[in-house]
């Protein structure tokens, strides 16, 4: 049985290798986007934002049902944030990789404090959740988190969608 599985796998690999021309194969010896310079960043689309500020992300998340937007102050200049509310529950929106004109990354986070949850519960939730992840932090708190990035520009609707996905993950977590 094992030899049949290996033979089928080898046949599939050979078929896939022969199916595409050499030019169509992924090349790791040159930058994305072809050519030998410049890298592979996506071209900026109209209406996209390169960087987020607490004010911008606050307005976007309010459009999908989040409330509030109290600015959080961090000692680290590389981070900014907001305290928001999702159906009466506090959500931290943390912006990272910040420079003078905004931030390149963000994450939404809910801290549930210390919980008596098993690894099986966490694994089951994470296997069913698409983008958000549940984990236990170093201090023992249960955390629900979803990450987002603006590299190359992102449409504000994408940020709103991430907010909605996080809200849905929270709803699913509460129904377990």
């Amino acid at each position: 049985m094992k030899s049949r599985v290996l033979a089928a796998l080898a046949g599939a690999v050979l078929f896939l290798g022969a199916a595409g021309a050499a030019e169509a194969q992924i090349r790791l010896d040159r930058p994305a986007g072809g050519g030998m310079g410049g890298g592979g960043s996506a071209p900026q689309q109209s209406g996209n934002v390169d960087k987020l500020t607490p004010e911008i992300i606050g307005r976007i998340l309010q459009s999908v049902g989040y409330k509030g937007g109290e600015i959080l102050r961090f000692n680290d200049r590389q981070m900014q944030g907001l305290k928001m509310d999702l159906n009466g529950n506090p959500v931290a929106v943390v912006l990272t990789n910040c420079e003078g004109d905004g931030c390149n990354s963000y994450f939404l986070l809910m801290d549930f404090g210390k919980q008596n949850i098993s690894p099986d519960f966490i694994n089951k939730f994470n296997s069913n959740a698409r983008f958000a992840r549940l984990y236990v932090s170093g201090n023992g708190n249960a955390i629900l988190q979803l990450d987002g990035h603006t590299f190359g520009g992102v449409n504000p609707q994408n940020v709103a969608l991430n907010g909605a996905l996080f809200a849905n993950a929270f709803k699913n977590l509460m129904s377990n």
Side-chain angles (χ1 to χ4, degrees):
M1 174 76 174
K2 186 176 179 180
S3 62
R4 272 194 255 163
V5 170
L6 290 175
L9 182 60
V13 168
L14 287 174
F15 172 77
L16 290 174
E23 305 86 48
Q25 292 181 0
I26 295 173
R27 296 287 309 264
L28 300 177
D29 61 344
R30 63 177 177 229
M36 293 305 289
S41 66
Q44 176 89 7
Q45 300 272 333
S46 170
N48 286 357
V49 293
D50 283 327
K51 296 185 178 188
L52 293 169
T53 64
E55 295 80 11
I56 291 171
I57 200 165
R59 281 193 305 269
I60 293 170
L61 292 175
Q62 287 170 352
S63 75
V64 291
Y66 288 73
K67 305 281 187 239
E70 176 187 340
I71 293 181
L72 300 173
R73 301 286 179 209
F74 299 102
N75 290 333
D76 181 359
R77 292 180 180 220
Q78 293 289 312
M79 294 176 67
Q80 301 178 29
L82 290 170
K83 180 180 177 185
M84 299 194 80
D85 178 275
L86 178 63
N87 300 324
N89 299 285
V91 175
V93 182
V94 180
L95 294 102
T96 60
N97 300 316
C98 300
E99 297 172 347
D101 57 345
C103 306
N104 292 319
S105 302
Y106 65 95
F107 59 90
L108 292 95
L109 177 120
M110 287 182 125
D111 186 333
F112 296 97
K114 300 204 183 323
Q115 300 285 326
N116 187 19
I117 55 176
S118 70
D120 288 338
F121 178 87
I122 293 170
N123 289 337
K124 181 180 177 189
F125 176 82
N126 287 340
S127 68
N128 292 322
R130 180 74 197 237
F131 300 101
R133 289 292 172 247
L134 180 64
Y135 63 92
V136 176
S137 68
N139 66 0
N141 289 2
I143 305 289
L144 180 64
Q145 182 173 328
L146 182 140
D147 298 340
H149 305 280
T150 64
F151 180 73
V154 65
N155 191 297
Q157 291 175 339
N158 180 270
V159 178
L161 177 61
N162 279 344
L165 287 169
F166 186 77
N168 190 56
F170 171 66
K171 178 182 170 186
N172 289 338
L173 179 61
M174 295 296 99
S175 68
N176 281 327

